[in-house]
Structure formats: structure tokens, C-alpha cells
Amino acid sequence: MANEQMASGAEAERWAALKHPLPDWFNRTKLGYFIHWGPYSVPAWGEPIAELGTIPPGEWYTHNPYAEWYYNTIRIPGSPAQQHHQEVYGGAPYDDFLDQWKAENFDPEQLVGLLAEGGAGYLVLTTKHHDGVCLWDAPETGDRNTVRRGPKRDLVGAYAQACRNHGVRFGTYYSGGLDWFVRPTDPIGPHESWHFEGLRPLDAEYASYAASHLRDLIERYQPDVLWNDIEWPDAGKNFSSDGIGRVFEEYYAAHPDGVVNDRWNVPHADYLTSEYQHLLDSESAEAWENCRGLGLSFGYNQMEGPEHALLAPDAMKHLVDVVTRGGHLLLGVGPKADGTLPEWQEQIVRNIGRWTGPMAELLAELEPTKVKPDLELGDTWIRFGDWNGRMVAFVDADQPVPVPAGSQLLSPAWANLVETELTMDPDRPGPAVIQLP
């Protein structure tokens, strides 16, 4: 979350000067997809226990459902992940998974095309997660990247080009706050706190290392979104030559339509973020984004299936709930190690496209409404929004719903309106949409 820490003099003015109107593309783009892909996609293991923010941190970390946190979870003494790693892999070094990761069926055009059909206005890729493995030949990484080992390919470049070919905005996730290889620490978890004191790098050398990566990503791939995670090393929270403030200035100068998220813990952010049920205070901001996976993990987790997932109808209800409150939704999918999506995730994305396709123009122009209509429908799920001055209602129910006379049905492919009775298809991909009189 953006930190309103005090800065003085010229530095305070430079932080303030970074503020700018959000670009039109971001205001209109309500749905993005979050791709977590790395060596953790080889073991692909986590315990699908609960959504982030619904159980205490100590329990969360020890039984982590995030498969992308495997490198951390296997180091927690007595954790089920540690036991699994010993039984299945004999306690092998984590980096063995980098060499076993081949991405042999990776087709970026096919995958990004699928997400575009599933309503993707933007895509954010993990260019480096907390394990420190870079998905491009990043500076100072030696052979610990996907160009030199494993897939033997610039995966960032492949995704960036595919996004531009399909008209999808491209964003780069980068873990500036943690790197368990370059700055190893004790495992995160055996404590009841979401904070990382003593467990994240703070020093200037690491800050310069991370800044060099961001600059390389900006120069080579021109990302529309810089999506940091956890924090930024304290020594780089400034406008020094390798400070993140200086990097932001360079980024906006090169890419005025770019946006940055809030997880740097510095005085500037274009928008705030929540995650599943965590950091929900961020959702009161003027601009915000909720991120979550289709299931309980962002990275591919072989222990998950559709029984753990937001199927398309619920995913679209969540999207509508977010957008009618002024937010954006970044929805996570996790490719398998071979580069393909699990079948159940692919099917959900296709079903999401059945809703977002017909609703694309409305969704782009939808805003929160300042006036709620006097419409009581009991326990029926309903949300209201403003569509260019027109009041629209999103309704989901298994039984017929009475609506005001003169309402206009905007989703005839999965609902029917006869006079004042609205009925919905049992196989609907999301809520029915009506324009109120």
C-alpha cells in the first residue's frame, strides 16, 4: 500500500510530481489476467485450504495454498509441504525444478488469444517471483534465468509480443520485496504476522540490483503496468541514481500511459491493490484492483480442481461487484510446467468469454452509480451501475425475478424478460443485465 511517509523539500516535490491522471485505457479496462509461471510450476503443490485473509498468518504460511510459495513452504519445519518434498523429491534443491521446467508446449499466441477471448484487457506476468528466477535474461542473473536454463527462452518477450498481437495491454509483475536466492532469509511463516521485518532485503546493493531489472524490463518490453510485490528495499525508496523514485520518473517519461501499483511502500502509486480477502481497506481508494486466482493459488497447483474454483458465473458476479464499486479485477491463471493451462482453468476462461464478449462495451463504460434505485428483490443477488447516464442492474437468481415495467434486457443470450418477469438460463455464464427505466 502506498505509504504516506513524510518526505521533505525537493524530494517531496518529486514524489508529488509523479501524480498524473490515470490513462483512458486503464479506466476502461476492468478485467485483467495474472499469470504466475516459474520453477514452482513443476512440483505444483500447495494445500487448498482457504482464501488469503480468512485464516491467521501462521496457519496460512505453514499450509500455504499458493503453489508459487513452494520454495518457502518446504523450508518450514514440520510443514506438510516439507514432508511432501522429502517423500516425492528426496529433499532435492529447489533449483532442480528450474532445469526440469521445459515449457515444451508453450504457445504464447494461443494462450494470450484464449485470455483475450476471455475478456482480457491487460495481462500481468510474473517476470521474477520471490524465488528470484527471472523469465528473461535479466542483468546480473548469470545462468539463473529461463534463457540460459529450463525453457531456454525469453518468456517475458514471448508474452509481451503475443499481448501486442492480440491488443492486450502487457504488465510486468516483479518481486522487489523478496528474493530468496540473492538475499536468502529464514522461512517466512512460523509467526502470527503479515509483516516481513527481518525477512526482506533492505540494502543498497540489492536495491540497485532490483532497479537494474526494472530498467531492463522497461527498456526491452515497454510494459503498460509495473506491478511490484511485498515492498521495495528501503535503501532504494528515494530519488538516488538507483532509487525507485528515479525509475518511476524514467518510466513515465518513456511511457506516459503506464501505471504502477502500490506495493512499493513509497509515497506514490497510481492505484491500490487488495488480494482475495486481504488488504480490503485498499478498496476504498479512488483507483483500486482486486487480485485473486481462479482457485486458491495463483500458480498451478495440482491439488486444485474446479471444486476449489470460482466458476464463470461466480467469477462474473465478483467482477461486477468489483467494477460497480469502482475497481478492477486481476484474475489469476496458472500454466502448467509445459506451458498449457489446466483444462478446468481453460474451460472457466472460455465461459467467462461468453459473458464478457457481449458485455464488453458496457463493461468498459460502467461506473459506480451515485443513486441506488428503490428496488427490493429479497435475497436476490443484485448490483447497480451507471452506464453513460443509464441505470443498469445485474441480477442473478435461479427463480423468476420481478423487475420494473419498461426495463430493457441487455443479455438475451442467457436470460429472458417477458413484461416484468426476468428468468435466467441455468447454464448462464454470469448475471443477467437489464437497463432500468
Side-chain angles (χ1 to χ4, degrees), residues 91-299:
Y94 178 82
D95 274 25
D96 284 6
F97 298 128
L98 173 55
D99 297 312
Q100 294 166 23
W101 177 26
K102 300 302 182 184
E104 64 272 20
N105 295 318
F106 176 47
D107 183 343
E109 294 293 332
Q110 187 277 330
L111 182 50
V112 174
L114 170 69
L115 298 176
E117 292 175 6
Y122 64 113
L123 181 152
V124 177
L125 171 70
T126 52
T127 65
K128 177 182 84 93
H129 205 260
H130 311 326
D131 60 5
V133 174
C134 291
L135 275 62
W136 85 108
D137 51 338
E140 301 180 61
T141 56
D143 69 351
R144 202 170 183 269
N145 59 65
T146 62
V147 176
R148 300 288 298 277
R149 291 169 65 182
K152 301 289 182 69
R153 185 170 180 181
D154 177 1
L155 301 177
V156 179
Y159 267 113
Q161 186 59 55
C163 282
R164 299 204 162 93
N165 292 346
H166 288 275
V168 175
R169 295 282 180 161
F170 178 65
T172 52
Y173 167 107
Y174 183 85
S175 174
L178 295 174
D179 191 314
W180 296 319
F181 183 81
V182 173
R183 288 294 184 272
T185 67
D186 291 337
I188 298 167
H191 54 82
E192 290 297 332
S193 173
W194 295 115
H195 299 290
F196 297 90
E197 284 82 358
L199 297 170
R200 64 178 184 87
L202 310 176
D203 61 284
E205 183 182 19
Y206 176 72
S208 294
Y209 173 81
S212 74
H213 286 184
L214 281 190
R215 284 176 164 139
D216 198 50
L217 288 169
I218 293 165
E219 180 179 353
R220 292 170 65 170
Y221 310 111
Q222 300 85 49
D224 300 294
V225 182
L226 296 182
W227 212 105
N228 187 59
D229 203 5
I230 302 298
E231 271 213 38
W232 196 252
D234 289 12
K237 293 179 178 179
N238 50 48
F239 288 87
S240 63
S241 59
D242 287 332
I244 194 59
R246 178 76 66 88
V247 175
F248 284 168
E249 290 176 334
E250 296 167 2
Y251 174 57
Y252 291 132
H255 197 25
D257 276 352
V259 294
V260 305
N261 76 337
D262 59 330
R263 298 191 182 186
W264 320 80
N265 198 20
V266 296
H268 174 72
D270 289 313
Y271 65 96
L272 306 191
T273 58
S274 60
E275 186 168 331
Y276 287 91
Q277 303 299 318
H278 189 49
L279 303 173
L280 295 184
D281 288 349
S282 298
E283 298 182 2
S284 62
E286 182 177 348
W288 59 277
E289 171 193 79
N290 175 252
C291 67
R292 61 154 296 145
L294 283 178
L296 299 172
S297 175
F298 286 99

